[in-house]
């Protein structure tokens, strides 16, 4: 994959976003797997970007994605490529951790956006949303639950793609 100014290495993410904030930018963060970018994601990113100046999308590195066999369907490079080619997304970083806490600490977003399906934490099968909320508050940000249109990459992939090897 060719280099892009939109891709920020995780080790450089914290100083990078601090500089953006120092310049007066309101930082919005979305975090997830974004295994199959679909219209729901695009609308989510548009709604998120409307809440600030800079949209930073952080993705869980493929070796930490735990959504079932054959997942993520697309590796880090293809997921990054999909995201950096969206006009709404300003920057993308792959997070070398299984959850969003380290990503949130690195970005220190003014607004952290999750899909409205996470508004009820008991529905989150990972249980990670509680730590996300706690960490966002610790860094002085707020949480916004978005989603005028909601799809699930997992459901779409499971329904329409063959994820198991046919050996």
């Amino acid at each position: 994959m060719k280099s892009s100014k939109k891709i920020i290495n995780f080790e450089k993410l914290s100083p990078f976003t601090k500089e953006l904030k120092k310049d007066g930018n309101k930082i919005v963060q979305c975090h997830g797997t974004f295994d199959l970018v679909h219209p729901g994601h695009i609308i989510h990113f548009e709604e998120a970007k409307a809440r600030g100046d800079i949209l930073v999308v952080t993705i869980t590195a493929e070796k930490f994605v735990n959504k079932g066999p054959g997942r993520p369907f697309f590796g880090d490079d293809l997921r990054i490529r999909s995201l950096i080619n969206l006009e709404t997304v300003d920057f993308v970083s792959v997070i070398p951790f299984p959850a969003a806490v380290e990503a949130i600490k690195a970005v220190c977003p003014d607004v952290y956006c999750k899909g409205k399906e996470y508004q009820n934490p008991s529905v989150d099968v990972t249980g990670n949303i509680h730590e996300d909320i706690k960490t966002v508050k610790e860094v002085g940000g707020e949480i916004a639950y978005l989603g005028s249109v909601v799809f699930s990459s997992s459901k779409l992939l499971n329904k329409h793609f063959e994820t198991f090897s046919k050996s």
Side-chain angles (χ1 to χ4, degrees):
M1 176 177 52
K2 70 178 186 173
S3 178
S4 169
K5 293 179 182 182
K6 285 183 150 189
I7 303 169
I8 309 300
N9 187 298
F10 176 73
E11 288 76 27
K12 297 178 181 177
L13 188 57
S14 183
F16 181 78
T17 54
K18 281 182 182 151
E19 279 299 311
L20 292 172
K21 286 181 117 179
K22 194 161 54 168
D23 291 341
N25 292 295
K26 185 175 182 180
I27 308 295
V28 180
Q29 180 182 10
C30 297
H31 179 84
T33 303
F34 305 113
D35 196 5
L36 175 65
V37 176
H38 52 67
H41 287 138
I42 293 168
I43 293 166
H44 180 80
F45 296 145
E46 289 171 347
E47 291 174 355
K49 178 71 180 258
R51 294 177 175 268
D53 303 306
I54 304 287
L55 176 58
V56 178
V57 177
T58 52
I59 64 172
T60 303
E62 63 188 286
K63 74 179 187 176
F64 295 107
V65 173
N66 187 16
K67 293 193 172 220
R71 296 292 307 280
F73 192 83
F74 299 105
D76 291 344
D77 287 348
L78 288 176
R79 292 183 296 136
I80 291 168
R81 182 176 276 178
S82 295
L83 293 167
I84 65 172
N85 281 290
L86 295 175
E87 184 179 324
T88 309
V89 175
D90 294 301
F91 300 102
V92 176
S93 186
V94 177
I95 307 304
F97 296 95
V101 169
E102 290 83 2
I104 296 165
K105 288 179 179 177
V107 174
C108 294
D110 295 293
V111 183
Y112 180 73
C113 298
K114 290 300 282 182
K116 67 181 179 181
E117 67 273 21
Y118 290 93
Q119 204 160 5
N120 177 358
S122 65
V123 177
D124 177 21
V125 294
T126 67
N128 292 335
I129 193 68
H130 297 290
E131 286 301 310
D132 292 3
I133 293 167
K134 178 181 164 196
T135 306
V136 169
K137 289 179 181 174
E138 285 173 0
V139 301
E142 66 179 68
I143 297 198
Y145 298 99
L146 310 175
S148 58
V149 175
V150 176
F151 292 98
S152 164
S153 292
S154 293
K155 288 178 184 173
L156 289 169
L157 285 166
N158 291 338
K159 183 174 181 181
H160 299 289
F161 289 75
E162 182 65 44
T163 58
F164 299 105
S165 172
K166 291 186 176 185
S167 47

